[in-house]
Amino acid sequence: MTNMPALKKGLRVVQKMRGRTLSPERFGAFLETLFENGYINVNGSVNPIINYMDYKAWHQIEEFENPSTHEKVVIEFIKEWTHGHISYYIKDIEVS
């Protein structure tokens, strides 16, 4: 899916994704947009929140940096697995 023009309109527009829930395809497209614009993943953490039979959730923080511009994007999200379906809730996005 290439329907993620957020970085083409400006990096600050990425912050508007805060509070949204994304499918795995849209979340993957969002990350791919970062990679296509020169960002690399420089740091990350994963912490399990809940681990039930049909529901699992992880709190994740991923940090991306563009080595050319030194701009950083930090994404804090909850990855949920419910009855075999995955979704990503974007808690926060910081751009610096």
Side-chain angles (χ1 to χ4, degrees):
M1 175 179 247
T2 59
N3 195 15
M4 295 298 292
L7 291 178
K8 292 179 176 61
K9 293 182 179 178
L11 195 53
R12 300 286 178 207
V13 176
V14 171
Q15 292 176 315
K16 290 185 178 183
M17 296 187 68
R18 181 181 297 128
R20 294 191 182 180
T21 300
L22 305 176
S23 68
E25 295 81 17
R26 296 228 354 126
F27 188 75
F30 171 58
L31 295 182
E32 188 61 35
T33 301
L34 286 173
F35 296 138
E36 288 173 357
N37 283 274
Y39 287 82
I40 58 173
N41 190 318
V42 294
N43 197 4
S45 68
V46 178
N47 296 306
I49 300 173
I50 298 172
N51 188 5
Y52 295 123
M53 183 176 283
D54 289 329
Y55 178 77
K56 298 178 186 330
W58 300 266
H59 176 250
Q60 292 185 236
I61 299 173
E62 298 295 335
E63 180 180 351
F64 298 87
E65 182 176 357
N66 185 318
S68 301
T69 64
H70 301 292
E71 289 179 312
K72 292 184 181 181
V73 176
V74 178
I75 307 168
E76 180 181 0
F77 60 95
I78 303 293
K79 178 180 177 181
E80 291 181 311
W81 180 86
T82 306
H83 301 289
H85 300 284
I86 295 175
S87 63
Y88 297 86
Y89 171 72
I90 310 296
K91 285 186 71 175
D92 194 21
I93 295 180
E94 293 181 21
V95 178
S96 59

